[in-house]
């Protein structure tokens, strides 16, 4: 059964602005593609807010005044909601945060480090508990289904793949 995100207006918590993203990293897309590898072993090192903000920006940020984002969306309906499960970030308390692309900011929706519980819910994948952060993508399906009907489920899965690939790169 798919997890359903509650409407954003129902959430309350502190808002944290993120540093402005870099638009030129000096690291080519070709090099990123060549060096990309999956890993399940992580250094025990904290990430910075700059690093976390850059990954969130790549996945789902608004890049144009008309609301278009870094990842494509069927009908520009943007059903994805992105959450950051933070455990080891300099300058950010452990907890769960909802990413707000319109302001490039985080809304804390739960406190405390939730990575161990998330690892248990992820079929016991200990790498989840050891990661500095975990990104969780969910979707508000009605945003896409009201226009595309049942085939909207396929569009949502494609969009999640696009956004996740952007984050990885």
């Amino acid at each position: 059964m798919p997890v359903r995100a509650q409407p954003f207006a129902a959430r309350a918590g502190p808002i944290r602005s993120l540093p402005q993203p870099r638009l030129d990293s000096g690291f080519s897309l070709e090099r990123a593609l060549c060096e990309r590898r999956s890993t399940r072993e992580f250094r025990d090192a904290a990430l910075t807010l700059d690093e976390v903000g850059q990954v969130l920006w790549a996945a789902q940020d608004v890049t144009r005044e008309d609301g278009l984002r870094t990842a494509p969306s069927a009908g520009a309906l943007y059903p994805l909601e992105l959450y950051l499960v933070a455990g080891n970030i300099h300058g950010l308390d452990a907890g769960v945060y909802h990413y707000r692309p319109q302001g490039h900011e985080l809304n804390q929706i739960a406190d405390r480090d939730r990575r161990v519980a998330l690892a248990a819910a992820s079929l016991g994948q200990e790498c989840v508990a050891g990661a500095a952060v975990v990104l969780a993508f969910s979707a508000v399906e009605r945003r896409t289904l009201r226009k595309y009907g049942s085939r909207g489920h396929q569009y949502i899965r494609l969009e999640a793949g696009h956004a996740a690939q952007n984050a990885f790169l």
Side-chain angles (χ1 to χ4, degrees), residues 125-146:
Q125 295 186 56
E126 289 303 315
C127 61
V128 172
V133 301
V134 177
L135 296 182
F137 291 87
S138 70
V140 180
E141 294 175 325
R142 69 179 174 273
R143 292 179 190 162
T144 301
L145 299 182
R146 69 177 170 229

Side-chain angles (χ1 to χ4, degrees), residues 2 6 16 22 25 37-38 41 56 73 79 84 88 97-98 121 130 135 137 142 157:
Q6 59 179 304
R16 176 69 183 259
R22 292 180 324 276
S25 69
R37 296 294 174 266
S38 297
E41 295 180 20
L56 294 169
S73 177
L84 176 75
N88 194 6
Y97 297 82
H98 176 256
L135 296 182
F137 291 87
R142 69 179 174 273
R157 288 190 284 274

Side-chain angles (χ1 to χ4, degrees), residues 1 9 14 25 33-34 37 40 47 49 59 65 87 95 99 103 126 136-137 151 156 159 161-163 166:
M1 170 180 270
S25 69
L33 290 168
C34 184
R37 296 294 174 266
R40 287 181 170 64
L47 295 176
L49 273 177
E65 287 183 20
Y99 179 60
E126 289 303 315
F137 291 87
R151 75 174 187 225
I156 291 167
E159 185 172 333
H162 294 310
N166 282 6

Side-chain angles (χ1 to χ4, degrees), residues 115-130:
R115 294 173 298 163
V116 171
L118 186 58
S122 302
L123 304 176
Q125 295 186 56
E126 289 303 315
C127 61
V128 172

Side-chain angles (χ1 to χ4, degrees), residues 38-93:
S38 297
T39 186
R40 287 181 170 64
E41 295 180 20
F42 304 103
R43 291 181 293 134
D44 187 21
L47 295 176
T48 67
L49 273 177
D50 284 330
E51 292 167 329
V52 170
Q54 193 69 27
V55 170
L56 294 169
W57 174 86
Q60 276 291 285
D61 207 85
V62 175
T63 56
R64 290 185 17 175
E65 287 183 20
D66 61 3
L68 295 180
R69 297 187 186 180
T70 54
S73 177
L77 299 171
Y78 301 105
L80 295 186
E81 295 290 333
L82 181 53
Y83 296 87
L84 176 75
V85 182
N88 194 6
I89 302 172
H90 286 297
L92 188 69
D93 292 337

